[in-house]
Amino acid sequence: MIFVDNPTPFAIRVSVLTNRYVTPLASFLDKEYGLQWHEWVVVFCIELRDGWTATDISNATGRPKNTISRAVHKLLKMGLITRRSRDDDARVQVLALTAKGKRFYTKVLPRLQVVERSIYDRLNKKEQAQFIKLLDKLHGVGS
């Protein structure tokens, strides 16, 4: 097993766990909607936070700006998002979901939640809360 005597015990475990989540969902998004995972990430971020720009999403997710920019252009063409200038600074382009984008988000999210539960339901509620707390600590959230 790759977890035993591994010189990067954290990285490999996080990577494998992420792949178990992302791979089936990326395949679903591609097959059903012709979308890549990073395009879903843009939709997801916009739904979670009002007033975000492509740069905000890139900074928050650690994804390259050009990847997010390409995703934004595709989502605009598909009619899932809109882009408008911010009132206080016309150079800043704020993203928002369209009604079609909100329907898409609402339709896809339960599929992601099923996969997430299939992984994390191995932990009891206390362990899940502890795991989230530890992940937040690793990400510098709340510190």
Side-chain angles (χ1 to χ4, degrees):
M1 174 175 261
I2 61 174
F3 297 146
V4 177
D5 296 325
N6 189 300
T8 59
F10 301 107
I12 192 66
R13 283 173 171 82
V14 170
S15 178
V16 169
L17 197 56
T18 299
N19 289 340
R20 287 187 179 151
Y21 178 75
V22 172
T23 301
L25 296 171
S27 177
F28 163 75
L29 287 168
D30 182 41
K31 182 180 175 187
E32 296 294 321
Y33 300 99
L35 290 174
Q36 305 266 325
W37 181 254
H38 55 271
E39 293 157 350
W40 163 256
V41 168
V42 170
V43 169
F44 187 79
C45 287
I46 294 169
E47 176 61 20
L48 292 180
R49 299 287 179 267
D50 288 334
W52 272 29
T53 66
T55 299
D56 294 330
I57 294 169
S58 176
N59 291 339
T61 63
R63 294 181 180 271
K65 289 180 183 180
N66 62 339
T67 299
I68 298 300
S69 178
R70 283 193 305 273
V72 165
H73 286 288
K74 183 173 180 178
L75 295 167
L76 285 166
K77 285 183 182 180
M78 293 177 73
L80 296 175
I81 67 171
T82 61
R83 181 172 52 193
R84 66 170 174 75
S85 296
R86 202 166 69 194
D87 295 338
D88 63 332
D89 188 345
R91 298 169 297 173
V92 177
Q93 300 291 303
V94 177
L95 305 171
L97 293 181
T98 61
K100 181 179 176 182
K102 287 182 182 290
R103 286 191 303 274
F104 169 71
Y105 174 86
T106 301
K107 191 172 183 181
V108 172
L109 184 63
R111 181 75 175 249
L112 277 71
Q113 291 170 320
V114 166
V115 174
E116 183 172 287
R117 280 192 305 273
S118 76
I119 295 169
Y120 295 105
D121 277 354
R122 295 175 184 151
L123 304 174
N124 64 40
K125 296 297 179 195
K126 184 178 178 182
E127 290 169 330
Q128 289 177 15
Q130 182 181 21
F131 186 62
I132 292 295
K133 187 175 180 178
L134 292 170
L135 287 173
D136 285 349
K137 186 174 185 177
L138 290 173
H139 284 283
V141 176
S143 49

